[in-house]
Amino acid sequence: MSDWESDCDDYYSTLSQNRTPPQQNFQSRGSYSGQSQRGGQYSRNITTARGRGYFRGNNKVISIPSTKVGRVIGRGGLKIRDLEYESEARIKIGNSAGDNTDITLFGTNSAIEKVEQMIKDLTIDKEASKKQNLQSASSAETASQVSVYEKFTYVNSEGKKVTDWAAASAYADQVQREMWDKLPPIVKNFYNEDPTIAVMPPNEVAYWRLCNFDIKVTRIPENWEAEAIPNPVLTFEQAFKDYPEILDEIRKQQFTKPSPIQSQAWPVLLKGEDMIGIAQTGTGKTLAFLLPALIHIEGQPTPREKRPGPTVLILAPTRELAIQIQREVNKYHYKGINSVCIYGGADRREQIDSISKGVDIVIATPGRLIDLIKANHIDTAHFSYIVLDEADRMLDMGFGPQINVCFLNVRPEHQCVMTSATWPSAVRQLADKYMHNPIYINVGSMDLAAVHTVTQKVMVVMEEEKDTILLDFIRNMDPTDKVLIFCAKKNTAADVTANLACKGYYCESLHGDRDQSDREAALEDIMNGTVNILVATDVASRGIDIKDLTHVINLDFPLKIEEYVHRIGRTGRAGKTGIALSLVTKYDWANAGELIKILEEAHQEVPSELREMADRFEAKKSTSKHGRGGRGRGRRPQW
């Protein structure tokens, strides 16, 4: 029994002993309930929210020990959802006040019979079953497992039975390698270099890279003896001349030429190399890894319909970025390749149905991907092309452990792509762990910088002036303007949206407290022009591509200066220009110095009040270092 199953069983055992009367306890906990408290018995029912017709049809009541209810429910209701999905029955769990709990099963006779057996299998005493199997030797599988366990167990000099974990780990690695060896081979090199590109002299290549945002290209480690780094392509035809259907799809998007990151990335990825792409937001990184992925999918020796699982995995830090990537994937139709976007908050069953029917590309957030891996709906061993998009953001959000879990079963010869806006040590360590001598492509300076297509305006204001300034801006908007307003907190975003609506301005909000369907609807409304004002938190700072977004307003300045760059990068995309207005208060003084550097690098006006703010902060910091007061970086200034 796993630790979490044991915890669930202990919890429900304690609950059944101590809860009197049960109705009051359920009301106080307020969980696992889909029924109204206004009438009828208030019983735990995870699944009643699916509609009035949910309980129609045949039904059967079975009883299990209350201490075993946790096994049926599972963590966060995961197991009960799987039971319903696999059996096509519906499950209602009754009160657990006594020693036993009634469970009502709904559905066809065959579905009820199937789910009843599944529940029995879950709730039998696993330890007793194991002993019985060992004694009778009726299970060859169990006996095999025991023999493996005994293989690495011995009695030490003190007479104690111990396990050689190093040997056991080596054996596990051997089993995994044997499993990988049974998988079909991977083809990664699809590049046929254009003759014009092949004969480009090194000085011409270096000059092109210098003129295109001073692109830096190297292999990691630099002293690795491998094939030379391919030259950049200058046209779409030079990259995809052997794939006319890809060229047709590109022409439909009416692009004139590749972006710098695309020019250098396509030859690298088409050759099957691992790649790290460092570039500012809005520079075309998604298309840089997507088109080679399509070719990789179609080019594998095993036909797509005979593959046991999806071929491409794209991991993204946020739901919004995952959805945006899928929108980009859906623009390009090649050989019937299809995709699914899986993330928390959306219908899990629909996502599982899509995977079971067969998909080629999985676009996922780490949490939901791990959910489906643990439920055996996805096997990562079959992925041969893996993308970590916005890797720095994923690590900032604490997804490092989840990424490790996602890679546990991935075959070692996979092709890996990592994109990032910055190159911190944590991202380097991630690359060292999962990439094989990757080619590193950095477009632009390593220093933090904003895109030069955005006019940056900064106002140093009092906190109480913000609402007036925002309202004055909105009153003077042109009908064709679209504005994205960033707030620091979810409740601030909700309040701003409500206040604007009360004043007659139709707008939408995007933040973590909204249901996923509402978040998607808000994005759809701003993208299709139903509304032209979107109020959001930093969930919208990366990966959101809103066509014709003219303005970004930082109503609250972000805590990290990196987020400022990503926020204002929502406008001025795809060669267009935009305006970013940032309202800075004295409480933002810790970021004043870095903000000045970004403004100066982009040749923007720097307010004298901002320079004064930066000087005050540096003076305060210097005083603090010498032990003469101060509370450290980011504290409120004593003005």
Side-chain angles (χ1 to χ4, degrees):
M1 185 190 307
S2 66
D3 291 341
W4 68 265
E5 283 180 321
S6 178
D7 291 343
C8 283
D9 289 348
D10 291 344
Y11 169 77
Y12 281 103
S13 177
T14 304
L15 187 67
S16 64
Q17 295 170 17
N18 299 333
R19 182 177 52 213
T20 53
Q23 183 171 349
Q24 294 178 355
N25 274 303
F26 275 118
Q27 290 173 340
S28 63
R29 290 183 69 234
S31 59
Y32 298 118
S33 174
Q35 294 182 345
S36 170
Q37 300 181 36
R38 284 181 269 183
Q41 189 177 14
Y42 192 94
S43 62
R44 179 164 65 257
N45 174 13
I46 294 176
T47 52
T48 55
R50 296 186 179 178
R52 292 180 178 271
Y54 175 71
F55 293 118
R56 294 175 183 169
N58 300 333
N59 67 82
K60 180 178 182 180
V61 178
I62 63 174
S63 182
I64 66 171
S66 295
T67 56
K68 302 296 190 286
V69 172
R71 300 185 188 182
V72 178
I73 295 175
R75 179 179 291 173
L78 174 62
K79 177 55 68 176
I80 198 170
R81 292 199 299 270
D82 277 346
L83 290 171
E84 291 185 327
Y85 172 76
E86 293 174 16
S87 66
E88 297 186 351
R90 295 292 177 265
I91 303 170
K92 177 187 175 184
I93 298 178
N95 289 326
S96 300
D99 294 334
N100 294 311
T101 295
D102 288 340
I103 297 180
T104 308
L105 311 176
F106 302 86
T108 63
N109 291 334
S110 60
I112 290 174
E113 182 180 349
K114 183 176 181 179
V115 76
E116 181 180 6
Q117 184 59 51
M118 294 168 73
I119 291 174
K120 286 180 179 178
D121 292 342
L122 275 175
T123 54
I124 60 173
D125 189 332
K126 296 182 180 179
E127 293 301 321
S129 175
K130 182 189 290 186
K131 291 177 182 177
Q132 183 179 358
N133 285 336
L134 289 175
Q135 291 170 355
S136 63
S138 60
S139 172
E141 181 180 0
T142 303
S144 174
Q145 291 173 352
V146 172
S147 65
V148 169
Y149 175 79
E150 294 293 342
K151 183 177 182 179
F152 302 107
T153 304
Y154 63 94
V155 178
N156 64 12
S157 58
E158 299 176 356
K160 294 181 179 180
K161 201 171 186 179
V162 295
T163 300
D164 186 346
W165 292 113
S169 177
Y171 176 77
D173 290 342
Q174 177 187 342
V175 171
Q176 190 175 50
R177 283 194 297 271
E178 290 174 355
M179 181 270 292
W180 285 331
D181 289 342
K182 295 176 182 178
L183 296 174
I186 298 175
V187 176
K188 297 193 288 187
N189 190 349
F190 303 95
Y191 191 49
N192 180 17
E193 190 171 32
D194 185 272
T196 305
I197 298 302
V199 298
M200 284 179 68
N203 62 331
E204 188 175 330
V205 172
Y207 182 72
W208 181 90
R209 290 172 177 162
L210 178 65
C211 293
N212 285 271
F213 302 101
D214 193 17
I215 296 177
K216 302 290 192 303
V217 186
T218 186
R219 192 181 289 275
I220 300 177
E222 294 185 28
N223 59 354
W224 179 259
E225 294 183 3
E227 291 187 35
I229 296 172
N231 294 335
V233 294
L234 309 182
T235 67
F236 296 116
E237 287 74 17
Q238 289 169 346
F240 303 109
K241 62 181 185 301
D242 296 331
Y243 307 98
E245 290 171 284
I246 294 283
L247 285 174
D248 289 341
E249 294 301 309
I250 294 173
R251 294 186 185 107
K252 290 177 184 177
Q253 305 304 318
Q254 299 182 342
F255 294 133
T256 56
K257 66 176 182 178
S259 72
I261 184 67
Q262 293 165 359
S263 291
Q264 187 61 74
W266 282 334
V268 170
L269 294 179
L270 288 171
K271 281 193 69 174
E273 300 269 14
D274 285 4
M275 188 198 83
I276 302 162
I278 309 295
Q280 295 173 355
T281 183
T283 53
K285 287 182 287 188
T286 302
L287 200 60
F289 64 70
L290 174 59
L291 297 186
L294 299 179
I295 293 170
H296 177 99
I297 292 169
E298 182 61 22
Q300 297 310 305
T302 304
R304 299 207 325 260
E305 63 275 8
K306 294 183 179 180
R307 295 175 201 170
T311 305
V312 170
L313 170 64
I314 303 173
L315 269 181
T318 66
R319 303 169 186 179
E320 281 71 29
L321 179 54
I323 293 169
Q324 179 63 41
I325 293 171
Q326 189 182 40
R327 285 197 183 100
E328 195 70 14
V329 171
N330 291 340
K331 292 178 183 177
Y332 298 88
H333 305 284
Y334 182 66
K335 306 289 187 180
I337 289 172
N338 58 357
S339 66
V340 63
C341 189
I342 61 175
Y343 50 88
D347 191 313
R348 183 173 181 272
R349 182 164 184 167
E350 284 186 7
Q351 295 171 357
I352 294 171
D353 284 342
S354 296
I355 294 168
S356 64
K357 291 175 183 176
V359 295
D360 304 296
I361 302 173
V362 172
I363 306 151
T365 53
R368 179 50 62 90
L369 177 64
I370 292 174
D371 170 11
L372 298 188
I373 290 172
K374 288 182 176 179
N376 295 320
H377 296 299
I378 292 178
D379 184 354
T380 56
H382 303 302
F383 291 119
S384 56
Y385 188 104
I386 299 176
V387 180
L388 301 179
D389 199 18
E390 302 280 11
D392 53 345
R393 175 68 166 165
M394 273 195 274
L395 295 177
D396 285 345
M397 295 173 68
F399 282 136
Q402 286 91 332
I403 293 172
N404 291 333
V405 171
C406 295
F407 270 86
L408 277 177
N409 211 31
V410 172
R411 59 198 298 180
E413 66 270 30
H414 67 274
Q415 184 175 2
C416 190
V417 186
M418 184 183 297
T419 76
S420 182
T422 55
W423 186 231
S425 59
V427 176
R428 299 178 196 183
Q429 292 170 8
L430 196 65
D432 290 342
K433 196 169 185 178
Y434 298 119
M435 307 185 85
H436 313 285
N437 312 116
I439 292 176
Y440 170 92
I441 302 173
N442 178 56
V443 179
S445 170
M446 284 298 294
D447 296 329
L448 195 62
V451 291
H452 288 198
T453 53
V454 178
T455 300
Q456 302 174 61
K457 297 182 178 181
V458 176
M459 295 178 63
V460 180
V461 301
M462 303 293 287
E463 187 70 33
E464 56 270 22
E465 295 176 323
K466 287 183 176 180
D467 289 344
T468 302
I469 294 171
L470 176 63
L471 189 59
D472 184 62
F473 172 88
I474 290 176
R475 283 171 178 162
N476 291 283
M477 283 176 57
D478 290 334
T480 56
D481 286 345
K482 280 187 182 180
V483 59
L484 176 55
I485 303 167
F486 280 105
C487 302
K489 298 178 180 179
K490 294 178 285 188
N491 60 347
T492 305
D495 290 344
V496 170
T497 306
N499 291 337
L500 291 175
C502 288
K503 291 178 171 61
Y505 298 103
Y506 189 31
C507 58
E508 271 288 3
S509 64
L510 180 62
H511 54 78
D513 277 350
R514 301 203 70 189
D515 290 340
Q516 183 60 35
S517 58
D518 293 333
R519 291 165 69 168
E520 293 178 21
L523 268 179
E524 186 66 27
D525 285 348
I526 189 73
M527 288 180 174
N528 63 26
T530 302
V531 301
N532 60 352
I533 302 171
L534 179 65
V535 185
T537 57
D538 277 327
V539 298
S541 65
R542 299 200 188 197
I544 304 301
D545 190 6
I546 302 173
K547 185 180 180 182
D548 298 328
L549 187 71
T550 57
H551 294 79
V552 167
I553 297 179
N554 288 309
L555 191 66
D556 298 319
F557 201 82
L559 293 177
K560 290 186 176 182
I561 194 66
E562 291 84 1
E563 288 308 311
Y564 169 78
V565 173
H566 289 294
R567 283 182 179 187
I568 70 173
R570 297 308 96 206
T571 186
R573 300 170 71 87
K576 296 183 179 180
T577 59
I579 297 173
L581 171 63
S582 300
L583 306 184
V584 177
T585 72
K586 60 184 180 181
Y587 304 123
D588 303 311
W589 67 337
N591 284 318
E594 291 297 325
L595 177 57
I596 289 172
K597 292 179 183 178
I598 292 172
L599 293 172
E600 289 179 338
E601 190 277 336
H603 308 293
Q604 304 291 307
E605 180 181 352
V606 180
S608 58
E609 299 95 330
L610 188 65
R611 294 190 186 277
E612 183 182 352
M613 184 185 293
D615 292 341
R616 284 178 179 270
F617 178 75
E618 290 302 319
K620 188 72 173 179
K621 195 165 61 169
S622 177
T623 302
S624 178
K625 285 181 180 179
H626 290 85
R628 294 194 296 272
R631 293 289 190 90
R633 182 174 180 88
R635 292 283 183 173
R636 291 188 173 188
Q638 304 300 313
W639 291 358

